[in-house]
Amino acid sequence: MKNKVITAAAVLCATVLVAIIAFDFFMSASFSSSFIAMNTTVSADIKGLKAEEAYREISEELKWLDSFLLSRTSEESQIYKLNNGKTDIDPEPAKLLSSIKDIEEKSNFSFCVGLGQLTDLWGIGTGSARLPRADEISSAIKDAEKWQISGNTVDLPDGVKLDLGAAGKGIGCDYASDILQKYKCKSAVVAVGGSVLLHSTDKDEVFTIGIRNPKGDINEPAAIIEIKACCVSTSGTYERFFEQDGKRYHHIFDPSTGYPAKSGLQSVTVISSSGLVSDALSTACLVLGFEESLPLLKEFDAQAVFITDENKVMTTPDFEGLKIADSNFTLVN
Amino acid sequence: MNKLIKPLDLLLIALLLLGGTGFWFYAKHSTAHAAAVIYIDGEVYQSISLEKVEEPYELPLPCSPRATLLVEKGAVSFKEAECSDKVCVNTGKLTKRGDTAACLPAKVVVTIENGEKQLDAMVY
């Protein structure tokens, strides 16, 4: 009898041991790494049994997206080809451009991808930035809004060049999201530069995201938000700029003037289920300013956090889960 | 019952194994110390446990254009780089989990992994 009890206890211990090992196996299934694509660092922290496969595919896909779809300089890129005379494109980029045209129209062209000539003219971020003449600027923005897409055919007016820089990272997040779903990953954080994809199969999982202090280092938050799975993108006047004669010119142009947007905002962070929408609207809202952004965000069912030139932090109505992280900033309701 | 291994022996072995596994599981899942992970062209070049660094030292990287890191107790940063924009050097010190600096022309990414998790990500 005593032997039976002892044997049973031994079997129980062995069972618990196996359970611990199995539990650990499932808990630990995760993979983290970083790579460079789309002119930025992409880092992925993925949990799930196929985390590593998902990572590898995300890495290949985003590099492909960069070289073959979005790049303005790679000759195999669809955008490059369009800018150099091609009119018909594959269904996949055509669908993307249709979504982009829809956002342009709804934003009243405060977000516009026909600004290739303008960005080239200013040269911000290339090392040869300069303040262009007024006539050069008007010429660069003329017809920028008039590019069209119909089916798989793109019509670019003369002199208009497409530049998807303001939406590329968000588009990358959407591609990564599809891959994470394909591999049934439990949860993941994929940061494509400053556009972040938060993925979870648990709809109640909460993520903590820092919104960069416009006047601080890249790793210093002005505010911290707690949100569920979605995409988050920020546009800021501090990202890329040049200074001339004591004045600072940043890289987010108001398409209606051709000059850097002056809306009283240092940054806008948009939260949306779509990466493309979060990235495009963060640019549009920085151009529009706080008041005029609200109806646009509502139309796309997106939320946003605004940081003004006076270090005031504002959000879309009913946004919860924001904490100020730096005493230089104040939350205004 | 087998005379070579008595039930009590079996229990003792099972308890020891269980204890060992439990300890292993605990050690694995408790928060590991911050590590600076250096990626060159997508591959891990080196991983440095920043808590264990006593004296600061320079680490030249086998990349092109050249870049050198400064490794200190609890922090890592780009000390100098031959790239034209110096964004890497201007990023400053990386100290907490998630902090990242990159030299894109050299295809180098340095990021802090493990350690206390404060934020899932930064948007900027």
Side-chain angles (χ1 to χ4, degrees), chain B residues 43-73:
Chain B
E43 299 293 326
V44 176
Y45 167 69
Q46 208 180 121
S47 179
I48 304 168
S49 184
L50 295 173
E51 291 308 302
K52 296 193 180 136
V53 175
E54 291 300 333
E55 291 295 317
Y57 65 91
E58 289 183 16
L59 180 64
L61 299 177
C63 56
S64 176
R66 298 281 250 232
T68 303
L69 302 181
L70 175 63
V71 182
E72 311 167 79
K73 192 175 181 67

Short mmCIF file of all heavy atoms in Angstrom, two decimals, chain B residues 43-73:
data_model
loop_
_atom_site.label_atom_id
_atom_site.label_comp_id
_atom_site.label_asym_id
_atom_site.label_seq_id
_atom_site.Cartn_x
_atom_site.Cartn_y
_atom_site.Cartn_z
N GLU B 43 22.22 40.31 -39.48
CA GLU B 43 22.67 39.17 -38.68
C GLU B 43 23.23 39.67 -37.35
O GLU B 43 23.86 40.75 -37.30
CB GLU B 43 23.80 38.41 -39.41
CG GLU B 43 23.40 37.82 -40.76
CD GLU B 43 22.38 36.70 -40.62
OE1 GLU B 43 22.44 35.96 -39.62
OE2 GLU B 43 21.52 36.58 -41.51
N VAL B 44 23.04 38.90 -36.30
CA VAL B 44 23.57 39.30 -35.00
C VAL B 44 25.09 39.22 -35.04
O VAL B 44 25.67 38.17 -35.31
CB VAL B 44 23.03 38.40 -33.87
CG1 VAL B 44 23.67 38.78 -32.55
CG2 VAL B 44 21.52 38.51 -33.78
N TYR B 45 25.73 40.34 -34.78
CA TYR B 45 27.20 40.38 -34.76
C TYR B 45 27.69 40.08 -33.35
O TYR B 45 28.63 39.33 -33.15
CB TYR B 45 27.68 41.75 -35.25
CG TYR B 45 29.14 42.02 -34.99
CD1 TYR B 45 30.13 41.31 -35.68
CD2 TYR B 45 29.54 42.96 -34.05
CE1 TYR B 45 31.47 41.55 -35.43
CE2 TYR B 45 30.89 43.20 -33.81
CZ TYR B 45 31.84 42.50 -34.50
OH TYR B 45 33.18 42.74 -34.25
N GLN B 46 27.05 40.73 -32.38
CA GLN B 46 27.46 40.51 -31.00
C GLN B 46 26.34 40.90 -30.05
O GLN B 46 25.53 41.77 -30.37
CB GLN B 46 28.68 41.39 -30.71
CG GLN B 46 29.59 40.81 -29.64
CD GLN B 46 30.80 41.71 -29.38
OE1 GLN B 46 31.02 42.17 -28.28
NE2 GLN B 46 31.57 41.95 -30.41
N SER B 47 26.31 40.25 -28.91
CA SER B 47 25.34 40.60 -27.88
C SER B 47 26.13 40.86 -26.61
O SER B 47 26.94 40.04 -26.20
CB SER B 47 24.37 39.43 -27.71
OG SER B 47 23.44 39.74 -26.71
N ILE B 48 25.93 42.04 -26.01
CA ILE B 48 26.74 42.40 -24.85
C ILE B 48 25.84 42.60 -23.64
O ILE B 48 24.87 43.36 -23.70
CB ILE B 48 27.49 43.73 -25.11
CG1 ILE B 48 28.34 43.61 -26.38
CG2 ILE B 48 28.34 44.13 -23.91
CD1 ILE B 48 28.88 44.92 -26.89
N SER B 49 26.16 41.92 -22.54
CA SER B 49 25.40 42.08 -21.32
C SER B 49 25.90 43.35 -20.63
O SER B 49 26.99 43.38 -20.06
CB SER B 49 25.60 40.86 -20.44
OG SER B 49 24.79 40.98 -19.30
N LEU B 50 25.11 44.41 -20.71
CA LEU B 50 25.60 45.73 -20.27
C LEU B 50 25.85 45.82 -18.76
O LEU B 50 26.66 46.62 -18.31
CB LEU B 50 24.63 46.83 -20.71
CG LEU B 50 24.52 47.00 -22.22
CD1 LEU B 50 23.41 48.00 -22.56
CD2 LEU B 50 25.84 47.47 -22.82
N GLU B 51 25.14 44.98 -17.98
CA GLU B 51 25.36 45.01 -16.53
C GLU B 51 26.75 44.53 -16.16
O GLU B 51 27.31 44.90 -15.14
CB GLU B 51 24.32 44.13 -15.82
CG GLU B 51 22.92 44.68 -15.87
CD GLU B 51 22.83 46.13 -15.41
OE1 GLU B 51 23.21 46.43 -14.27
OE2 GLU B 51 22.40 46.97 -16.22
N LYS B 52 27.30 43.67 -17.02
CA LYS B 52 28.58 43.05 -16.67
C LYS B 52 29.78 43.89 -17.09
O LYS B 52 30.93 43.52 -16.84
CB LYS B 52 28.68 41.66 -17.31
CG LYS B 52 27.65 40.71 -16.79
CD LYS B 52 27.94 39.27 -17.18
CE LYS B 52 26.88 38.36 -16.64
NZ LYS B 52 26.44 37.36 -17.62
N VAL B 53 29.51 45.01 -17.79
CA VAL B 53 30.63 45.84 -18.26
C VAL B 53 31.19 46.62 -17.08
O VAL B 53 30.45 47.32 -16.39
CB VAL B 53 30.14 46.81 -19.36
CG1 VAL B 53 31.26 47.75 -19.78
CG2 VAL B 53 29.62 46.02 -20.56
N GLU B 54 32.48 46.52 -16.82
CA GLU B 54 33.08 47.25 -15.71
C GLU B 54 33.62 48.59 -16.19
O GLU B 54 33.15 49.64 -15.84
CB GLU B 54 34.18 46.41 -15.06
CG GLU B 54 33.65 45.20 -14.31
CD GLU B 54 32.70 45.56 -13.17
OE1 GLU B 54 32.79 46.67 -12.61
OE2 GLU B 54 31.82 44.73 -12.86
N GLU B 55 34.63 48.50 -17.09
CA GLU B 55 35.24 49.71 -17.62
C GLU B 55 34.67 50.01 -19.00
O GLU B 55 34.52 49.09 -19.79
CB GLU B 55 36.76 49.52 -17.76
CG GLU B 55 37.51 49.42 -16.43
CD GLU B 55 37.42 50.72 -15.67
OE1 GLU B 55 37.58 51.79 -16.29
OE2 GLU B 55 37.17 50.68 -14.45
N PRO B 56 34.40 51.29 -19.32
CA PRO B 56 33.92 51.59 -20.68
C PRO B 56 34.98 51.23 -21.73
O PRO B 56 36.18 51.36 -21.44
CB PRO B 56 33.72 53.12 -20.68
CG PRO B 56 33.81 53.54 -19.27
CD PRO B 56 34.53 52.49 -18.50
N TYR B 57 34.55 50.80 -22.88
CA TYR B 57 35.51 50.50 -23.95
C TYR B 57 34.90 50.79 -25.30
O TYR B 57 33.68 50.88 -25.45
CB TYR B 57 35.99 49.04 -23.87
CG TYR B 57 34.92 48.00 -24.12
CD1 TYR B 57 34.67 47.51 -25.40
CD2 TYR B 57 34.16 47.50 -23.06
CE1 TYR B 57 33.69 46.54 -25.63
CE2 TYR B 57 33.18 46.54 -23.27
CZ TYR B 57 32.95 46.07 -24.55
OH TYR B 57 31.97 45.11 -24.76
N GLU B 58 35.79 50.97 -26.29
CA GLU B 58 35.33 51.23 -27.66
C GLU B 58 35.29 49.94 -28.44
O GLU B 58 36.15 49.07 -28.26
CB GLU B 58 36.30 52.20 -28.35
CG GLU B 58 36.18 53.59 -27.79
CD GLU B 58 37.08 54.60 -28.50
OE1 GLU B 58 37.56 54.29 -29.61
OE2 GLU B 58 37.30 55.65 -27.92
N LEU B 59 34.28 49.83 -29.28
CA LEU B 59 34.13 48.63 -30.09
C LEU B 59 34.01 49.04 -31.56
O LEU B 59 32.96 49.48 -32.00
CB LEU B 59 32.87 47.86 -29.65
CG LEU B 59 32.55 46.57 -30.41
CD1 LEU B 59 33.62 45.52 -30.19
CD2 LEU B 59 31.20 46.01 -29.96
N PRO B 60 35.11 48.93 -32.32
CA PRO B 60 34.99 49.25 -33.76
C PRO B 60 34.22 48.11 -34.44
O PRO B 60 34.41 46.95 -34.09
CB PRO B 60 36.44 49.29 -34.25
CG PRO B 60 37.30 48.94 -33.09
CD PRO B 60 36.45 48.50 -31.95
N LEU B 61 33.35 48.45 -35.38
CA LEU B 61 32.54 47.44 -36.04
C LEU B 61 33.06 47.15 -37.45
O LEU B 61 33.50 48.07 -38.13
CB LEU B 61 31.08 47.90 -36.12
CG LEU B 61 30.39 48.16 -34.79
CD1 LEU B 61 28.98 48.68 -35.02
CD2 LEU B 61 30.35 46.90 -33.94
N PRO B 62 32.97 45.90 -37.87
CA PRO B 62 33.44 45.54 -39.22
C PRO B 62 32.39 45.88 -40.27
O PRO B 62 31.82 45.01 -40.90
CB PRO B 62 33.65 44.02 -39.11
CG PRO B 62 32.63 43.59 -38.11
CD PRO B 62 32.47 44.71 -37.13
N CYS B 63 32.12 47.18 -40.41
CA CYS B 63 31.10 47.56 -41.37
C CYS B 63 31.67 48.66 -42.25
O CYS B 63 32.73 49.21 -41.97
CB CYS B 63 29.86 48.10 -40.62
SG CYS B 63 30.25 49.47 -39.51
N SER B 64 30.95 48.98 -43.31
CA SER B 64 31.42 50.03 -44.20
C SER B 64 30.24 50.90 -44.61
O SER B 64 29.27 50.38 -45.14
CB SER B 64 32.07 49.39 -45.42
OG SER B 64 32.45 50.39 -46.33
N PRO B 65 30.22 52.22 -44.40
CA PRO B 65 31.29 53.00 -43.77
C PRO B 65 31.53 52.61 -42.29
O PRO B 65 30.64 52.07 -41.66
CB PRO B 65 30.77 54.44 -43.86
CG PRO B 65 29.31 54.34 -44.08
CD PRO B 65 29.07 53.04 -44.79
N ARG B 66 32.69 52.91 -41.80
CA ARG B 66 33.08 52.45 -40.47
C ARG B 66 32.28 53.12 -39.36
O ARG B 66 31.85 54.26 -39.50
CB ARG B 66 34.57 52.80 -40.24
CG ARG B 66 35.44 52.10 -41.22
CD ARG B 66 35.63 50.70 -40.76
NE ARG B 66 37.00 50.56 -40.33
CZ ARG B 66 37.81 49.62 -40.75
NH1 ARG B 66 37.37 48.73 -41.57
NH2 ARG B 66 39.03 49.58 -40.34
N ALA B 67 32.09 52.39 -38.28
CA ALA B 67 31.43 52.95 -37.10
C ALA B 67 32.04 52.31 -35.86
O ALA B 67 32.46 51.15 -35.89
CB ALA B 67 29.93 52.66 -37.15
N THR B 68 32.10 53.09 -34.79
CA THR B 68 32.66 52.59 -33.53
C THR B 68 31.66 52.83 -32.43
O THR B 68 31.12 53.94 -32.30
CB THR B 68 33.98 53.33 -33.20
OG1 THR B 68 34.87 53.15 -34.30
CG2 THR B 68 34.62 52.78 -31.94
N LEU B 69 31.43 51.83 -31.60
CA LEU B 69 30.51 51.97 -30.48
C LEU B 69 31.28 52.27 -29.20
O LEU B 69 32.45 51.89 -29.07
CB LEU B 69 29.71 50.68 -30.26
CG LEU B 69 28.89 50.16 -31.42
CD1 LEU B 69 28.16 48.89 -31.02
CD2 LEU B 69 27.88 51.21 -31.89
N LEU B 70 30.60 52.93 -28.28
CA LEU B 70 31.14 53.09 -26.94
C LEU B 70 30.28 52.23 -26.01
O LEU B 70 29.07 52.45 -25.91
CB LEU B 70 31.09 54.56 -26.50
CG LEU B 70 31.53 54.83 -25.06
CD1 LEU B 70 32.99 54.46 -24.86
CD2 LEU B 70 31.30 56.30 -24.69
N VAL B 71 30.90 51.24 -25.37
CA VAL B 71 30.16 50.32 -24.50
C VAL B 71 30.51 50.63 -23.04
O VAL B 71 31.68 50.66 -22.67
CB VAL B 71 30.53 48.85 -24.82
CG1 VAL B 71 29.72 47.90 -23.95
CG2 VAL B 71 30.32 48.56 -26.29
N GLU B 72 29.45 50.91 -22.24
CA GLU B 72 29.69 51.24 -20.83
C GLU B 72 28.76 50.40 -19.97
O GLU B 72 27.87 49.73 -20.48
CB GLU B 72 29.35 52.71 -20.57
CG GLU B 72 29.93 53.68 -21.54
CD GLU B 72 29.29 55.04 -21.40
OE1 GLU B 72 29.67 55.77 -20.46
OE2 GLU B 72 28.41 55.36 -22.21
N LYS B 73 28.94 50.48 -18.68
CA LYS B 73 28.04 49.75 -17.78
C LYS B 73 26.63 50.34 -17.94
O LYS B 73 26.42 51.51 -17.66
CB LYS B 73 28.52 49.91 -16.34
CG LYS B 73 27.82 48.95 -15.37
CD LYS B 73 28.42 49.09 -13.98
CE LYS B 73 27.79 48.15 -12.99
NZ LYS B 73 28.08 46.73 -13.25
#
